[in-house]
Amino acid sequence: MSAPQQPPVEDESTLAGEADGFERLWTPHRMVYINGESKPAPGEEDHACPFCRAPTLADEQSLIVARGDLAYVLLNLYPYNPGHLLVCPYRHTSSYVDLRDDEAAEVASLTQTSLRVLADASAPHGFNLGINQGEVAGAGIAAHLHQHVVPRWRGDANFLPVVGRTKAVPALLADTRATLASAWAARGEPGAATP
């Protein structure tokens, strides 16, 4: 037996609520992030950590742009802007002060190269750099330290983040990853992922 069908709605005034004239930009893919799926809890084993899991996958699948010996660079799955990169140590640690000197040096070096590659690939007008250490500081994945590298352009912010808590990103992650991996290789930098 099939479920009863709803009659077609010919007049929006018959629906609950009032029409407000707004268009809706639906982003259901963000519910994974909002609900904390695939996010390790503090003290949880590193096998549950997406930043520990990413380097074990193919570069295209994990959105890795470049790999170093102690750290790597990947695209943020929920970017603020096209080219939003994360620089992560391979070792599972949540605190910047717990990085060994060689790890801190490679995170810094990969961050510098990320800035150069983004400048070559997309000519941003500026950058935001930062580490949100701890959940209260805004870290989406507090269990594994990561450095944000966010390219910025004049006029790239609009009403959507303020009013709609939504960010329109005009480029697909796979396309952005391929562009940045190619730009990394074109600079002759070590560790470039396959475009």
Side-chain angles (χ1 to χ4, degrees):
M1 177 176 223
S2 64
Q5 299 247 338
Q6 292 289 334
V9 177
E10 295 177 13
D11 179 8
E12 284 188 2
S13 66
T14 63
L15 298 174
E18 295 182 31
D20 58 13
F22 288 102
E23 295 291 326
R24 302 292 188 256
L25 179 59
W26 300 102
T27 57
H29 64 279
R30 289 194 49 83
M31 286 308 295
V32 170
Y33 177 77
I34 291 166
N35 290 331
E37 295 172 34
S38 299
K39 188 188 289 190
E44 194 170 40
E45 294 297 318
D46 55 347
H47 68 271
C49 175
F51 293 141
C52 290
R53 193 170 46 251
T56 68
L57 304 172
D59 293 342
E60 294 81 12
Q61 183 179 0
S62 59
L63 302 174
I64 289 178
V65 173
R67 295 173 183 259
D69 295 326
L70 303 170
Y72 67 99
V73 181
L74 77 162
L75 283 172
N76 189 330
L77 189 56
Y78 305 103
Y80 296 125
N81 272 343
H84 180 170
L85 296 173
L86 302 174
V87 182
C88 302
Y90 289 113
R91 188 168 61 89
H92 187 78
T93 184
S94 62
S95 176
Y96 188 77
V97 298
D98 290 340
L99 288 178
R100 297 185 317 258
D101 290 346
D102 56 349
E103 290 171 320
E106 188 163 283
V107 166
S109 176
L110 287 172
T111 299
Q112 289 177 323
T113 303
S114 295
L115 293 167
R116 293 180 186 110
V117 166
L118 285 163
D120 291 348
S122 56
H125 301 128
F127 296 93
N128 290 118
L129 302 175
I131 295 174
N132 301 324
Q133 187 172 300
E135 193 171 315
V136 71
I141 298 175
H144 197 126
L145 186 75
H146 52 284
Q147 164 86 24
H148 291 262
V149 180
V150 183
R152 300 297 307 272
W153 294 268
R154 281 181 203 84
D156 66 6
N158 58 31
F159 69 93
L160 279 175
V162 175
V163 176
R165 296 190 47 84
T166 301
K167 180 71 178 180
V169 181
L172 296 173
L173 288 173
D175 295 344
T176 302
R177 194 210 70 80
T179 298
L180 294 179
S182 294
W184 201 286
R187 288 190 61 78
E189 296 289 345
T194 304

